Amino acid sequence: DTAVSQTPKYLVTQMGNDKSIKCEQNLGHDTMYWYKQDSKKFLKIMFSYNNKELIINETVPNRFSPKSPDKAHLNLHINSLELGDSAVYFCASSQSQSQPQHFGDGTRLSIL
Amino acid sequence: AQSVTQLDSQVPVFEEAPVELRCNYSSSVSVYLFWYVQYPNQGLQLLLKYLSGSTLVKGINGFEAEFNKSQTSFHLRKPSVHISDTAEYFCAVSGGNTGKLIFGQGTTLQVKP
């Protein structure tokens, strides 16, 4: 069974569209995260939720909105997509904020 | 503020040779340290972690790392690499109570036959 699963794996869309990426974890973890990996493979945290409560909100355009319907799910909605949003987005989860994070396989977003 | 520097962007090495991937960090608080590996088109997999206790940490796939507080380093080592170890390796640090991971720039390990 996949511990942290993201859908879709690939997302190709046009500038200006709105899209969502879904993430689910079956590890029973309390904390979930979204990271962005750019074309130079640099990883940067975007958001973190602990038990459905937002605890980290980095300097991210407000076109990005995370939503956590329950502690096993953390979705990422992106409005008005721009070329610079092209990247790989990773979801992760951890038992608590001091424990190692488990990552999904990523969603490769390409903006045309 | 915390930061992580991986001193080598690429490390070419021959199969069965030893390897060391270097990582230095800066932080004003106590930290947790991690090494992750990323194989092509995959997510990050935890290799090993330092949370507390012994400064020599053993991980999966024969990797180990040593936490050196005075030198603020957490270098990753393997005595004998395999072709299958070819991947991107990330050092990361977290501190405080948010779980926020700060990653280094990554080191590409290229194992040659």
Side-chain angles (χ1 to χ4, degrees):
Chain A
D1 279 346
T2 304
V4 181
S5 59
Q6 298 178 226
T7 54
K9 190 173 176 66
Y10 298 97
L11 186 51
V12 181
T13 189
Q14 292 194 327
M15 222 164 41
N17 284 350
D18 303 338
K19 290 293 178 185
S20 291
I21 307 172
K22 295 186 176 182
C23 178
E24 176 182 3
Q25 55 95 3
N26 62 6
L27 297 167
H29 288 167
D30 286 339
T31 311
M32 295 185 73
Y33 312 81
W34 277 110
Y35 289 86
K36 178 180 180 180
Q37 185 174 43
D38 63 23
S39 58
K40 295 182 179 178
K41 297 192 176 179
F42 184 66
L43 280 150
K44 186 168 166 49
I45 191 163
M46 301 173 70
F47 302 103
S48 173
Y49 272 73
N50 184 56
N51 252 325
K52 301 195 299 177
E53 181 182 342
L54 181 67
I55 55 171
I56 296 176
N57 185 350
E58 290 293 289
T59 309
V60 177
N62 57 15
R63 297 182 295 104
F64 290 79
S65 53
K67 283 188 172 53
S68 182
D70 54 62
K71 73 174 192 176
H73 296 84
L74 181 60
N75 304 322
L76 184 65
H77 188 76
I78 315 170
N79 288 328
S80 303
L81 280 157
E82 300 177 357
L83 289 175
D85 298 332
S86 293
V88 182
Y89 293 85
F90 286 101
C91 177
S93 72
S94 63
Q95 180 71 31
S96 67
Q97 287 108 308
S98 64
Q99 292 298 313
Q101 295 175 25
H102 297 252
F103 284 77
D105 284 340
T107 295
R108 185 174 296 275
L109 174 62
S110 300
I111 309 302
L112 303 177
Chain B
Q2 296 162 329
S3 66
V4 179
T5 302
Q6 291 182 240
L7 297 156
D8 307 293
S9 59
Q10 291 190 344
V11 173
V13 63
F14 286 106
E15 196 174 17
E16 297 184 8
V19 71
E20 179 179 80
L21 306 184
R22 297 179 294 166
C23 173
N24 284 94
Y25 69 93
S26 68
S27 176
S28 56
V29 298
S30 296
V31 295
Y32 306 117
L33 293 156
F34 307 89
W35 275 98
Y36 284 87
V37 60
Q38 185 179 27
Y39 299 103
N41 298 316
Q42 293 188 26
L44 281 78
Q45 182 181 0
L46 180 70
L47 273 179
L48 48 79
K49 61 184 184 288
Y50 173 79
L51 303 180
S52 65
S54 173
T55 57
L56 183 62
V57 179
K58 294 191 184 298
I60 62 170
N61 300 342
F63 284 94
E64 64 179 33
E66 185 155 18
F67 170 57
N68 188 320
K69 189 174 180 179
S70 62
Q71 296 188 4
T72 59
S73 67
F74 191 54
H75 301 331
L76 181 71
R77 301 186 184 98
K78 186 169 181 177
S80 174
V81 295
H82 302 290
I83 295 286
S84 59
D85 292 323
T86 295
E88 193 78 18
Y89 290 79
F90 292 95
C91 181
V93 63
S94 76
N97 59 0
T98 65
K100 173 179 168 180
L101 274 179
I102 305 296
F103 284 91
Q105 305 92 320
T107 298
T108 304
L109 176 63
Q110 300 162 323
V111 181
K112 304 177 182 180

